[in-house]
Amino acid sequence: MAKEPQLATIAVYSLKGGVGKTTFAINLAWASANISKRRTLLWDLDPQAASSWLLSTDAESRDAAQAIFSKDVDVRKLIQPSTVAGLDLIAADTSLRSLDHLFREMDKKKRLAKLIESLGKAYDRIILDCPPGLTETSEQVLRAADMIVIPVIPSPLAQRAMGEVARYLVQRGGTHPPIMPVYSMVDRRRALHRAAIEAQPDWPAIPMASAVEQMAVRRKPLGAFAANSPSAQAFARMWTGIERQL
């Protein structure tokens, strides 16, 4: 008899914005639900709410996302079905702008981890779309995640940001979840990008493509409208690698 999958949490995190974090979170969540047939939840923790805008079935902005953390609100009350079959969503909203301040005031270092734990019977995989920066929220994420996916644009500046995260994890001491750096928005016509990939050939690479830009127009993951595109195939391979590690 096959063993039931244990809940695993994958955080998509970056020190800086504009690296394709939301693209990663949505396409990995789609792959989890459709390729691996996992019961999957995408939890949008970024107040910019890009994942929520792309996948939410609820047109109303509730300003309730922070209530899960600050009040005695059952986390399951904010779960909604997304526009993707088999994928649920906890949407972000502007109330998350003060989440760092709230975490500091509450002084509950594992609040997010405990909420995720409470969803263990309902889901196999939880994907976190995290806000950028080294913040109180990122501290909560590091304690809650089983793996951290870090999109990196192939440039010295972006790779420096990756180094900063690694240093930060070392300075925190103790254990931390495994990190998977992934090249994002790769254009192999550019010498800088080719050099970066040659320097780290083991890192997965997601190519720059017009199909990725079309996600915002169609409000769908790549797998839903361009499953055979190089970018969708790259995300599928990357997800298979994540599942293998988990």
Side-chain angles (χ1 to χ4, degrees):
M1 197 168 136
K3 224 168 69 170
E4 283 295 301
Q6 275 193 310
L7 173 65
T9 302
I10 299 104
V12 182
Y13 168 76
S14 173
L15 200 58
K16 57 203 289 293
V19 297
K21 194 167 47 61
T22 294
T23 302
F24 273 63
I26 287 174
N27 286 300
L28 292 178
W30 183 90
S32 173
N34 286 272
I35 296 173
S36 299
K37 307 296 182 195
R38 304 291 195 196
R39 297 170 302 164
T40 307
L41 173 70
L42 175 58
W43 192 337
D44 192 353
L45 290 166
D46 191 336
Q48 291 184 62
S51 287
S52 305
W53 178 79
L54 277 158
L55 295 183
S56 180
T57 51
D58 188 349
E60 289 179 45
S61 177
R62 300 186 180 280
D63 277 353
Q66 191 183 283
I68 296 172
F69 301 100
S70 58
K71 298 172 186 159
D72 207 12
V73 174
D74 186 346
V75 64
R76 285 166 291 200
K77 284 195 172 165
L78 282 191
I79 295 173
Q80 55 173 279
S82 77
T83 54
V84 173
L87 175 62
D88 287 345
L89 174 71
I90 296 180
D93 56 47
T94 51
S95 70
L96 291 177
R97 283 181 183 159
S98 53
L99 190 57
D100 282 327
H101 177 69
L102 174 72
F103 279 142
R104 263 195 305 274
E105 280 196 331
M106 285 171 67
D107 198 30
K108 290 179 181 172
K109 303 293 184 195
K110 293 190 174 179
R111 178 70 176 138
L112 178 61
K114 284 199 163 65
L115 289 172
I116 286 171
E117 204 178 304
S118 73
L119 295 168
K121 288 199 170 101
Y123 295 101
D124 308 315
R125 301 287 178 260
I126 295 178
I127 314 291
L128 304 177
D129 186 357
C130 307
L134 294 174
T135 61
E136 294 291 327
T137 304
S138 58
E139 278 279 340
Q140 292 271 343
V141 166
L142 290 171
R143 288 187 174 90
D146 296 294
M147 175 178 280
I148 301 173
V149 172
I150 304 182
V152 180
I153 292 170
S155 74
L157 204 60
Q159 283 167 301
R160 181 178 172 272
M162 171 68 206
E164 288 294 314
V165 174
R167 255 195 302 281
Y168 172 67
L169 290 171
V170 170
Q171 284 163 2
R172 280 174 78 249
T175 57
H176 63 77
I179 291 174
M180 178 186 270
V182 184
Y183 280 126
S184 174
M185 304 181 196
V186 172
D187 183 352
R188 289 178 190 270
R189 294 169 302 180
R190 299 175 65 180
L192 196 67
H193 286 210
R194 288 199 307 275
I197 288 165
E198 281 163 20
Q200 300 287 354
D202 296 337
W203 291 11
I206 308 294
M208 172 84 83
S210 57
V212 175
E213 292 164 359
Q214 279 290 310
M215 281 176 59
V217 179
R218 296 171 184 255
R219 291 173 80 166
K220 287 179 178 176
L222 285 167
F225 69 90
N228 294 322
S229 68
S231 298
Q233 295 287 314
F235 275 117
R237 282 193 302 274
M238 181 184 156
W239 177 253
T240 306
I242 289 170
E243 280 280 273
R244 216 173 278 134
Q245 283 198 49
L246 293 172

